[in-house]
Every structure is written in C-alpha cells, then in structure tokens.
Amino acid sequence: MKLGNEETLQRIKGGLIVSCQALPEEPLHSSFIMGRMALAASQAGAVGIRANTVADIKEIRNMVDLPIIGIIKKVYDDCPDVYITPTIAEVDALTACGVEIIATDATRRDRPGGETIETFFSKVRAKFPDQLFMADCSNVEEGMEAAALGFDLIGTTMASYTSYTRGCPLPPFDMIEYLVKNCGKPVVAEGNIITPEHLRHAMDLGVLTAVVGSAITRPLEITKRFVAVLK
C-alpha cells in the first residue's frame, strides 16, 4: 500500500535508500533478484528502495514494506541522453503502480518530443498534484531550477553524467552543500557515494536522505574495482 507523503518523508529522513537496479545487459537482471536484493537491504536497515521498471517495483513491493523511489529507464531515439522517466507515459505507469516518489531526469537537456524540463514538469504536476517528485540534477543551477519548478525533492544523481559536468569532483559534496543551504527543498544525496565515510559526510551536510546503489547492489562493478588493483 502506498504511504502518504508526510509519512514517506519521515520514514526516509536520516536513513539510507538502496538502489536495486539491473539493466537487461547486466548479469543480475531479474525482478526476482531485485526483490531479494531489496529484502537484504531492508533486513540490513535501509529505509527505502530506488527501483527501475514496473515489474521490478511490483516484486520489490511484495518483498518489503519500504517507501520506493520509482523510475523507468527508457531510451527514445530523438533524445537518447535523457532516459530516466523521460516522458509522461513513464510517469503514468509509475503512478499506476503506487510508488511513493517518482524520480526523473531534471537536467537542462531537451527531452523526447522537444520538451524541456519546464514544459514536461508543468504537465506532470498538473496531472498528479499530490505525487512526490524527485529531480535528478547534475549541477547547482539545475537543482535550484528544479526547486523553483516545484519538485518536492532535489537529487544530485546526474552529477558527472552530463557533458557539461563530466569530470566534476565526486561525490559532489560542494553541490550537495550548496543545495542544502539554498534550494529550500529536501536534498537527496545520490551518485558515486561509494564508502560509508561518503555517506556519513553527506548526511552531516544536512541532506534528507542518501541513495547508494553500485557500491551495494552491483557485484560486477564491485568486483571490477578489486580486480583492478591486481593488474
């Protein structure tokens, strides 16, 4: 059952959200596996899950009673760079399966169909006025703009993933600190938080919550880091 907005924010405050995702080309691609991954995260003390696709979200919902940040990754030919919940069709699907928070790419890049983040979000907010929305941003300017547009949570997810932020310091602590102090909305630290020390520092900067994915739920990437030191 979907939680109310205030309960959702209270339950994730000060805790760890674990991203449980695997794309089709990855070895753990399976709704069953993502459900079990979410169960392990829940048993370890995670306060929420970030998940991709309706199938995975439904399986995770069967396994854990935690707030879910839902996304749908879909590549459209006219704008392949913007693929995290890129159109209102993906938002419709996520609201239908009852996720507490919907995250979407909120960078300044054009979206499928020639939409901007402004035109896209104005339609989304009008259609779903009571849904919590999280903005996946790549820099301070995008975070501030997303807050002004009315996003409920501002995330640092896309730092280093846009052409104009490639090579930026990671984790993006300066971005996190600025947004916490200035955007007026709860900030979610996400992206390249690899160690417990990174997580602790992000929380000390005043974020509402933090999302960790690859460092916990992607054994292929974790193994690569260990093997790299042997070469």
Side-chain angles (χ1 to χ4, degrees), residues 154-157 176 187-191 193 202-203 207-212:
I154 310 301
T156 58
T157 318
I176 291 168
V187 174
V188 179
E190 181 173 6
I193 298 175
M203 298 304 297
V207 298
L208 175 73
T209 185
V211 179
V212 177

Side-chain angles (χ1 to χ4, degrees), residues 10-228:
Q10 284 301 312
R11 285 186 59 176
I12 64 176
K13 183 178 181 180
L16 169 66
I17 294 174
V18 174
S19 182
C20 298
Q21 301 179 45
L23 296 173
E25 63 271 18
E26 296 182 277
L28 296 190
H29 179 65
S30 160
S31 294
F32 173 81
I33 293 174
M34 290 303 103
R36 294 291 173 167
M37 196 80 77
L39 179 60
S42 176
Q43 291 179 351
V47 299
I49 302 295
R50 178 163 166 138
N52 172 39
T53 77
V54 169
D56 284 8
I57 289 165
K58 288 181 175 179
E59 180 62 22
I60 288 167
R61 186 72 87 191
N62 288 336
M63 299 302 300
V64 301
D65 181 25
L66 295 177
I68 295 176
I69 300 175
I71 64 171
I72 294 177
K73 291 181 176 177
K74 184 170 182 178
V75 175
Y76 286 83
D77 290 341
D78 60 338
C79 282
D81 291 337
V82 175
Y83 54 84
I84 298 177
T85 319
T87 77
I88 200 164
E90 289 77 49
V91 175
D92 288 341
L94 289 167
T95 57
C97 69
V99 294
E100 282 76 17
I101 301 167
I102 294 175
T104 180
D105 183 307
T107 64
R108 67 182 186 219
R109 300 173 295 182
D110 286 342
R111 310 177 79 86
E115 284 196 306
T116 63
I117 185 59
E118 292 87 356
T119 58
F120 166 75
F121 191 66
S122 65
K123 292 194 302 185
V124 165
R125 178 56 84 196
K127 189 172 184 179
F128 303 107
D130 299 321
Q131 174 69 51
L132 289 174
F133 286 98
M134 173 177 161
D136 287 349
C137 304
S138 73
N139 59 22
V140 162
E141 292 77 17
E142 290 168 352
M144 296 296 289
E145 177 64 19
L149 288 174
F151 276 89
D152 303 285
L153 302 105
I154 310 301
T156 58
T157 318
M158 300 303 292
S160 83
Y161 290 101
T162 57
S163 61
Y164 45 90
T165 62
R166 194 165 293 124
C168 70
L170 296 173
F173 290 129
D174 289 346
M175 177 184 176
I176 291 168
E177 184 173 17
Y178 184 94
L179 291 172
V180 166
K181 291 179 178 178
N182 296 286
C183 81
K185 297 290 180 71
V187 174
V188 179
E190 181 173 6
N192 291 279
I193 298 175
I194 297 173
T195 69
E197 291 75 22
H198 287 163
L199 174 62
R200 181 69 264 167
H201 185 50
M203 298 304 297
D204 289 343
L205 291 175
V207 298
L208 175 73
T209 185
V211 179
V212 177
S214 296
I216 297 174
T217 57
R218 296 182 74 192
L220 176 65
E221 300 305 319
I222 297 167
T223 304
K224 284 180 180 178
R225 290 203 303 272
F226 279 89
V227 171

